[in-house]
Amino acid sequence: MAKLYFRYGAMNSGKSTGLLQAAFNYEERGQLVLLAKPEIDTKGADQIESRLGVSRTVDFLIGPADDARAAVHAAAGGRDIACLLVDEAQFLTPAQVDDLLRIAVLDDIPVIAYGIRTDFRTEAFPGSARLLELAHSLEELKTICRCGRKAIFNARLVDGRFVFDGDQVAIDAGLHGEVTYESMCAACYLRESGGRLDGR
């Protein structure tokens, strides 16, 4: 039986780089992989992009109402798939994460999902929460804060200023300015938020 893996970390912890490396490793051995990401992740359109400058087009996008298992079967077209690699898995719905488990267990296709656990308010993304509940294997990918400690949170900046309220998902420049993110340790996050956690 194949397994569902969740590899998570704060932003800039090398998740997309790891996914692209995993794809390369499978394909170097002549095995077929499928790459997917939620279509809500508009950064790079249909591309998975690493900060190191490597990118690749996904085999399919997963829409908010899509059946992920059906999408995999359609993309596979009857071919044997060695692994399904999913980027930005935090944006999946809980039902789609359930589909990932079915793909691994019922279809015997290993699934490796990459994503972040929490948003800029330290609240779990629904997809990540479900992955933490269901995955056979959890692996934390680490990165560092500006102070050198391990980063665990993702702070949002709008036009260079930290914000702690707003919609859970904001990927590109929005109505109120340019949106960027910074990976932070708990101490630096609390310093910037004035002690606020979870939007409070």
Side-chain angles (χ1 to χ4, degrees):
M1 178 184 74
K3 294 181 178 178
L4 170 60
Y5 301 84
F6 183 33
R7 296 180 178 167
Y8 65 90
M11 296 182 82
N12 302 322
S13 59
K15 296 179 297 300
S16 296
T17 301
L19 183 153
L20 294 171
Q21 181 67 53
F24 178 84
N25 291 345
Y26 274 102
E27 291 172 339
E28 188 177 41
R29 289 158 182 80
Q31 297 180 317
L32 182 64
V33 297
L34 291 178
L35 277 64
K37 74 174 190 175
E39 71 179 15
I40 192 174
D41 177 31
T42 55
K43 180 186 65 179
D46 63 351
Q47 299 287 307
I48 294 175
E49 298 177 337
S50 162
R51 289 181 301 129
L52 298 181
V54 180
S55 66
R56 179 168 167 174
T57 303
V58 297
D59 294 290
F60 62 98
L61 296 170
I62 304 171
D66 288 353
D67 178 316
R69 190 175 180 208
V72 167
H73 287 287
R79 300 170 295 172
D80 287 333
I81 304 302
C83 188
L84 170 65
L85 300 164
V86 182
D87 200 27
E88 304 292 356
Q90 71 272 7
F91 296 136
L92 296 174
T93 67
Q96 290 168 337
V97 174
D98 293 352
D99 287 339
L100 298 186
L101 182 68
R102 292 184 186 100
I103 292 163
V105 175
L106 301 179
D107 301 328
D108 200 29
I109 299 171
V111 179
I112 308 175
Y114 295 79
I116 58 178
R117 285 184 309 168
T118 59
D119 65 17
F120 73 108
R121 300 166 302 190
T122 71
E123 296 176 350
F125 285 95
S128 298
R130 192 64 176 145
L131 279 160
L132 290 167
E133 293 168 341
L134 293 184
H136 294 94
S137 174
L138 301 171
E139 180 185 348
E140 182 180 18
L141 305 177
K142 297 173 179 65
T143 190
I144 58 170
C145 177
R146 60 169 95 154
C147 70
R149 290 187 284 252
K150 184 177 98 168
I152 60 172
F153 294 133
N154 306 293
R156 178 182 290 172
L157 297 93
V158 176
D159 290 334
R161 297 185 58 198
F162 288 101
V163 297
F164 298 93
D165 296 299
D167 294 335
Q168 187 172 55
V169 178
I171 295 171
D172 297 316
L175 297 173
H176 305 291
E178 182 186 2
V179 177
T180 57
Y181 292 89
E182 182 179 340
S183 304
M184 304 184 92
C185 70
C188 289
Y189 183 94
L190 289 169
R191 187 176 307 114
E192 293 294 344
S193 72
R196 294 178 63 186
L197 284 171
D198 202 26
R200 295 184 287 276

